[in-house]
Amino acid sequence: MMSNFNPQFAKIGEVLIFNNLISEDQLNEALSEQKTTKGKLGHILIKNGLITEEDLTNAYSQQTGHKTISGEDLLKANLEVTNLLSEDFAKEKNIIALNKSDSSIIIAMEDPEDLSTIDSVKKLTKLNPEILISGKSHIERALEVLYDKIKKSDEVESAISNISIIKGDEEDGDELDLATEEVSAEDAPFVKLVNLILTEAIKEGSTDIHIEPGRDTVNVRIRIDGILIRIMSPPMTSLNGIVARIKILSKLNIAEHRLPQDGRMKIKTSDRDIDVRVSILPTVHGEKIVLRLLGSGSKTLTLQNLGFPNKKLKIFRKWINQPYGMVIISGPTGSGKSTTLYAALSEIMSENINITTVEDPVEYQIPGINQVQMHDEIGLNFAASLRSILRQDPDVLLIGEIRDPETADIAVKFSLTGHLVFSTVHANDATSTITRLLDLGIAPFLLGSSLNLVMAQRLVRTIDEDNKESYVPDKNELEKINFKGSKTTKFYRGKPNASNHNTGYKGRTAIHEILEINSEMRQLIFDGENQNQIYNKAVKNGMTSLREAGIEKIKTGETTIEEVLRATVEDM
């Protein structure tokens, strides 16, 4: 090629040759293929593996003088401007409207020589197009994300008309239809804002909403897959209106701003009822609100979708189908203990047995099961309700949490009299659960006789399957988790983008540490052996720790090293 080559007077094939990306023979082969397929030359060269999308984008940029834009920057488009072009048109032409001024509109496209598309944009928007160049796959991915966001914001607006709230407790509450409720013009913006927050949180399947006052703005964050994500930041002037609205809905004292308050309300949507626990706490900048959404998840409760490996699922199923004894699940708040227990109850439920639960709060309502909600303010606590339930002829009993000696005592005696008892305990792992129960005053001979199975559980985020890539972890990462797997093990991570809230993760799965109480284990409990001796014996009998269970999920490509380190502690 000549040294005074000017790409702006050359064809795209000549630019690629000048950049030493293809040879003249390869260009001629692609041109002859183009005559039969009628496809674009660049697409043929990419399909044949001769160049990459980035090579083509850079060549177009050299040829036309237009700048390039990355896939990440495409996602920062102004949605109002993007929406100026219909989704069908944008996807047909593979074009995105990014931003605009009074006279021009910035558009991203793959082929800047597509003059008919540029002319169509000019006619549709009455603005002069300014071109940026991006790869075909980047534009296609951004189109999906951006128009999905536009749809979602439209759906949030329309969803307000399909949401209703029951004020305060359901026992004495009147159903409130948010769409038709008459409010003053002054209150209307706050009503709409609270409705938007609630609807967005429910759509995203979040478990908690945090409304936090700052110095200048109010931060609204929702917990998705265990991690808080900010969804909006309204001005501080809106705080009082938001707080007053939520206090009215949950029947709290709107005049009290100095003391913490707790309340509840119920949201009815088209497909499910959601119980909302409201907690208000005074801070230096104003009242902070946390809303806990119970029953907001839409996933069907089955043991198969809770992340059990086949071997552990077989063990767990064996013990939940025993006629009597105790099955205890341990873990911190938000580790999925209740979800696992509900799935177990759903599996063993039949017309031949009476299942009763005592919970605070009732998180999911399951048809065919008798569920009792605690009310501490009137003296209906775990111990008081259990004394009455013993006279209700239950076969299976779920106790929401063993948190005091009286509840522990009733649970053990209940299991020893021919009943199956499920419950949860706040403990770090399976062996420390036994220590915790002994600390609550249960005699070792009673605990050893009644326990069937203890399972510790954690939740780890799963890699977004649509944005998954393999990588090679460094030596430091592998040492942190004490990885002893094969050298051929493939490691994966998620690529952060708007569809996964820039985390690279989507959804969660559980990891488990299962301790079966066999005859040897019972003897250790009878003899009052310490936690370390019980742990060593359990490992000898085949128990895998939470860290090891997490490493198995890494090997199967479900989660990442970083996530397992976050959720588990090193085995000592």
Side-chain angles (χ1 to χ4, degrees), residues 172-269:
D172 61 353
D174 302 319
E175 187 170 324
L176 178 67
D177 187 338
L178 297 185
T180 59
E181 187 199 5
E182 289 186 14
V183 291
S184 68
E186 190 181 340
D187 291 338
F190 305 118
V191 171
K192 187 176 181 183
L193 185 55
V194 170
N195 293 357
L196 279 168
I197 293 168
L198 289 170
T199 312
E200 185 63 18
I202 293 165
K203 276 176 63 60
E204 292 287 355
S206 70
T207 53
D208 302 86
I209 303 170
H210 289 240
I211 300 169
E212 303 162 320
R215 188 183 294 276
D216 304 310
T217 60
V218 180
N219 260 338
V220 180
R221 300 189 292 170
I222 59 177
R223 192 176 292 280
I224 301 171
D225 297 334
I227 302 295
L228 286 168
I229 309 281
R230 188 167 70 181
I231 57 167
M232 62 177 80
S233 299
M236 264 304 278
T237 50
S238 64
L239 178 67
N240 288 342
I242 294 170
V243 171
R245 174 66 178 161
I246 289 171
K247 282 182 178 179
I248 289 166
L249 292 174
S250 48
K251 289 200 168 176
L252 297 175
N253 182 356
I254 62 169
E256 180 56 73
H257 303 287
R258 298 164 301 168
L259 295 172
Q261 296 188 67
D262 294 315
R264 57 195 288 211
M265 58 184 164
K266 196 169 195 176
I267 299 176
K268 283 181 173 287
T269 66

Side-chain angles (χ1 to χ4, degrees), residues 290-305:
V290 174
L291 306 174
R292 181 88 197 270
L293 307 180
L294 304 170
S296 59
S298 55
K299 205 173 207 184
T300 312
L301 291 173
T302 64
L303 290 176
Q304 282 92 335
N305 61 26

Side-chain angles (χ1 to χ4, degrees), residues 32-52:
S32 62
E33 186 179 334
Q34 186 186 31
K35 284 175 185 173
T36 55
T37 62
K38 308 297 182 193
K40 288 191 174 182
L41 178 64
H43 294 174
I44 292 167
L45 292 168
I46 291 169
K47 178 177 71 72
N48 294 340
L50 298 172
I51 62 169
T52 64

Side-chain angles (χ1 to χ4, degrees), residues 21-124:
L21 294 168
I22 58 171
S23 66
E24 286 198 38
D25 289 343
Q26 288 170 328
L27 175 61
N28 290 330
E29 280 177 32
L31 287 168
S32 62
E33 186 179 334
Q34 186 186 31
K35 284 175 185 173
T36 55
T37 62
K38 308 297 182 193
K40 288 191 174 182
L41 178 64
H43 294 174
I44 292 167
L45 292 168
I46 291 169
K47 178 177 71 72
N48 294 340
L50 298 172
I51 62 169
T52 64
E53 264 191 12
E54 196 176 349
D55 294 333
L56 182 62
T57 303
N58 290 334
Y60 273 137
S61 178
Q62 285 174 268
Q63 185 194 40
T64 62
H66 297 303
K67 290 180 180 176
T68 61
I69 181 168
S70 68
E72 201 173 310
D73 286 336
L74 288 175
L75 296 173
K76 296 173 184 173
N78 180 332
L79 293 182
E80 284 184 20
V81 177
T82 302
N83 208 20
L84 291 176
L85 301 179
S86 74
E87 184 176 359
D88 290 341
F89 174 80
K91 286 183 174 178
E92 183 193 340
K93 304 295 186 183
N94 216 30
I95 183 172
I96 300 174
L98 300 170
N99 221 324
K100 73 180 183 76
S101 64
D102 291 339
S103 60
S104 63
I105 183 165
I106 299 170
I107 58 171
M109 59 194 301
E110 181 201 6
D111 181 0
E113 292 186 321
D114 186 352
L115 299 177
S116 66
T117 298
I118 294 169
D119 195 44
S120 297
V121 171
K122 193 172 184 178
K123 285 176 182 173
L124 285 168

Side-chain angles (χ1 to χ4, degrees), residues 302-313:
T302 64
L303 290 176
Q304 282 92 335
N305 61 26
L306 294 184
F308 280 101
N310 288 334
K311 187 182 174 185
K312 288 184 178 178
L313 181 57

Side-chain angles (χ1 to χ4, degrees), residues 225 460-465 494 503-510 553 557-560 563:
D225 297 334
V460 292
R461 291 179 293 168
T462 50
I463 299 167
D464 181 357
E465 283 295 329
T503 62
Y505 299 97
K506 194 176 274 187
R508 288 188 288 179
T509 188
K553 297 280 184 188
E558 291 175 71
T559 192
T560 62
E563 189 62 9

